[in-house]
Amino acid sequence: MQPRRGRLTVEFRCRLASPSGEIVEGVYLADTEARLRHELEEKGLYVLSLQAKGAVGGLPIRLKKSSIASREFLVFNQELATLLKAGMPLVQSLDLLKRRVDSPVFRSVLNDVHERVRGGAALSDAFSAHASLFPSVYTASLVAGERSGSLDTVLRRFVEYTKIVQTMKRKTISALVYPIILITLAVALVAIIVLRVVPAFSEFYAGFGAELPLSTRVIVSVSLFIQRQVLLLTIGLGVTVGGMVLWLRRPGQKARFDRAILHIPMLGDIARKFATSQMARTLATLLGGGLPLVNALDIAAKSVGNQFIASELDVVGVRVREGASFAGALEARRVFPEVAVKMAEVGESTGALQDMLNTVADFYDEEISTNMERFVTLIEPLLLVIMGIVIAGLLLALYMPLFQLSSVLS
């Protein structure tokens, strides 16, 4: 069963009976239960039971779109490219590979893709029917491969492109793990001191009846305020986070947020380079498959994670469609790095734009790795110093009355 493009798809567990009396169980994708039931009955199957996967009492509780694991998707494309290169027909290749898939969602999609291709549809059209589950770069690559007659080559190029992008994402996330752990530990330690240790010291000092130092009074007051208003503070934090999420979901706001990120020292430079690398590698992959530059720009704009850069790339696509040069359109936006613009200009003038774009992507991937290492090298000791100062300040403020008391007693 195939979902309509752009619609929310739901997995349904079905128990069916064939006209011969055979009982079949499986998982199918559809927009609605009524549509799935209608399509199954049209095929001559009797629906014994049909329930949305993850439903309770017949009411579905899944609210997000189905997804396919990227690793399984890459393995499928690698194997499909190998079978096609070996000379196996596309229909037989799909029939073989769909049996090897573990994910019920992906298996259901491949069943539908196989049926469509066997019925005469192009592979790109078959996957386009499930556009919400696959990146736009993939379906565009399939179109380019079908037009050029080198589908296996395009599939291998797409796999290589995806591996490189995922590797860069993993490196970026790995570099940020340790600073995040440090920040989390610091916040947890300060919270324990403020909510547990400070009240104990406060009760101890109250027995002396002496006036506490200003720093100690401030910490005790903050601790009491947090303890008394913990529910209000939690609600306020939840409302703030929820409001921020809703604001980002409004049209155009995510682009404004991403634009602000580009102005953050160090991180903004890394984000700009990562978006440029994404753009360049996507364009190179699509151009290598034979797709025109104008169409490749439209698809590349959708693949870039930074929405502000994506909107600027949309403008570049419009300028190129009007007859401007690619490098000139990039330079006019004043958003993309100068090195990328110059290399694109050289690529256009020499007729080797695809190779230049790959060079740009490789160059900025190296730059990102270097910048991330430099950022982590700088931020780790800085975080440790800040943690030490904050915790030492808290402990000093707590123990200062004891020092004063000991000096009075002596």
Side-chain angles (χ1 to χ4, degrees):
M1 302 301 105
Q2 69 275 10
R4 293 175 185 172
R5 187 179 303 184
R7 294 285 299 276
L8 181 68
T9 59
V10 182
E11 294 177 40
F12 290 92
R13 291 189 179 278
C14 304
R15 195 163 186 267
L16 311 170
S18 65
S20 61
E22 183 183 0
I23 304 299
V24 180
E25 293 186 358
V27 178
Y28 296 85
L29 281 175
D31 300 336
T32 62
E33 179 180 339
R35 183 166 181 261
L36 177 59
R37 187 182 294 274
H38 176 71
E39 293 188 5
L40 291 171
E41 290 175 350
E42 277 189 340
K43 291 186 175 183
L45 298 172
Y46 301 97
V47 181
L48 302 179
S49 66
L50 192 154
Q51 188 176 34
K53 192 175 179 182
V56 177
L59 297 176
I61 58 174
R62 287 181 75 235
L63 297 178
K64 67 177 184 178
K65 291 184 178 181
S66 304
S67 61
I68 296 172
S70 59
R71 184 180 181 279
E72 189 171 34
F73 183 53
L74 282 182
V75 170
F76 162 77
N77 282 286
Q78 283 178 320
E79 294 176 343
L80 180 59
T82 302
L83 293 175
L84 293 176
K85 185 177 176 62
M88 181 176 287
L90 178 58
V91 174
Q92 293 181 17
S93 301
L94 291 172
D95 185 49
L96 176 64
L97 293 177
K98 72 178 184 178
R99 305 172 191 272
R100 299 164 55 87
V101 173
D102 295 327
S103 168
V105 177
F106 197 20
R107 190 187 308 120
S108 176
V109 170
L110 289 181
N111 283 333
D112 177 66
V113 169
H114 176 254
E115 290 295 326
R116 287 173 177 267
V117 173
R118 192 171 64 174
L123 183 64
S124 56
D125 292 335
F127 274 102
S128 294
H130 307 274
S132 61
L133 297 174
F134 304 103
S136 56
V137 179
Y138 180 65
T139 51
S141 298
L142 292 179
V143 171
E146 288 166 345
R147 289 178 180 177
S148 62
S150 56
L151 188 57
D152 60 318
T153 304
V154 171
L155 286 172
R156 285 197 299 272
R157 188 180 292 118
F158 170 78
V159 170
E160 187 66 25
Y161 156 81
T162 307
K163 284 182 177 179
I164 293 173
V165 172
Q166 289 182 348
T167 299
M168 288 308 304
K169 287 182 178 179
R170 281 196 299 269
K171 286 183 178 179
T172 304
I173 293 172
S174 299
L176 295 175
V177 166
Y178 186 63
I180 290 173
I181 291 175
L182 284 180
I183 293 172
T184 303
L185 290 176
V187 171
L189 189 56
V190 170
I192 292 172
I193 293 175
V194 171
L195 298 178
R196 294 293 182 185
V197 179
V198 172
F201 273 81
S202 176
E203 294 176 3
F204 174 72
Y205 292 142
F208 291 96
E211 184 179 1
L212 299 175
L214 177 61
S215 59
T216 308
R217 294 201 305 270
V218 169
I219 292 176
V220 170
S221 299
V222 170
S223 175
L224 290 174
F225 175 78
I226 293 175
Q227 284 181 312
R228 291 170 182 171
Q229 307 295 335
V230 62
L231 181 60
L232 184 62
L233 291 174
T234 303
I235 294 174
L237 179 62
V239 170
T240 302
V241 173
M244 185 67 178
V245 171
L246 292 175
W247 179 77
L248 288 175
R249 288 182 177 178
R250 294 177 58 188
Q253 302 306 326
K254 181 65 167 59
R256 291 184 180 180
F257 180 76
D258 288 344
R259 184 177 185 178
I261 289 178
L262 296 178
H263 292 89
I264 299 176
M266 292 191 72
L267 284 179
D269 188 45
I270 293 173
R272 189 186 305 274
K273 290 176 179 177
F274 185 79
T276 303
S277 172
Q278 268 190 311
M279 179 263 303
R281 198 170 297 282
T282 303
L283 285 176
T285 301
L286 297 174
L287 292 175
L291 211 64
L293 177 59
V294 173
N295 296 341
L297 283 169
D298 292 338
I299 297 165
K302 297 175 184 176
S303 68
V304 174
N306 188 294
Q307 294 299 304
F308 174 68
I309 298 289
S311 64
E312 294 296 306
L313 198 56
D314 279 329
V315 177
V316 170
V318 172
R319 292 287 309 278
V320 171
R321 189 176 286 108
E322 292 173 350
S325 68
F326 175 54
L330 285 179
E331 187 175 17
R333 302 317 303 163
R334 301 185 179 278
V335 173
F336 301 94
E338 185 179 355
V339 173
V341 175
K342 295 300 181 184
M343 294 182 78
E345 186 177 0
V346 172
E348 276 189 307
S349 61
T350 59
L353 183 58
Q354 177 198 344
D355 294 334
M356 270 305 170
L357 288 172
N358 274 322
T359 303
V360 168
D362 293 337
F363 172 76
Y364 281 114
D365 286 347
E366 289 292 331
E367 284 278 300
I368 292 167
S369 297
T370 303
N371 287 356
M372 286 303 300
E373 291 175 3
R374 189 180 304 155
F375 172 75
V376 172
T377 303
L378 177 64
I379 202 69
E380 285 178 6
L382 184 62
L383 286 175
L384 289 174
V385 170
I386 293 174
M387 286 173 59
I389 292 174
V390 171
I391 294 172
L394 288 172
L395 295 179
L396 184 62
L398 287 177
Y399 282 98
M400 192 176 295
L402 286 179
F403 298 150
Q404 292 181 349
L405 179 62
S406 62
S407 63
V408 170
L409 292 176
S410 61

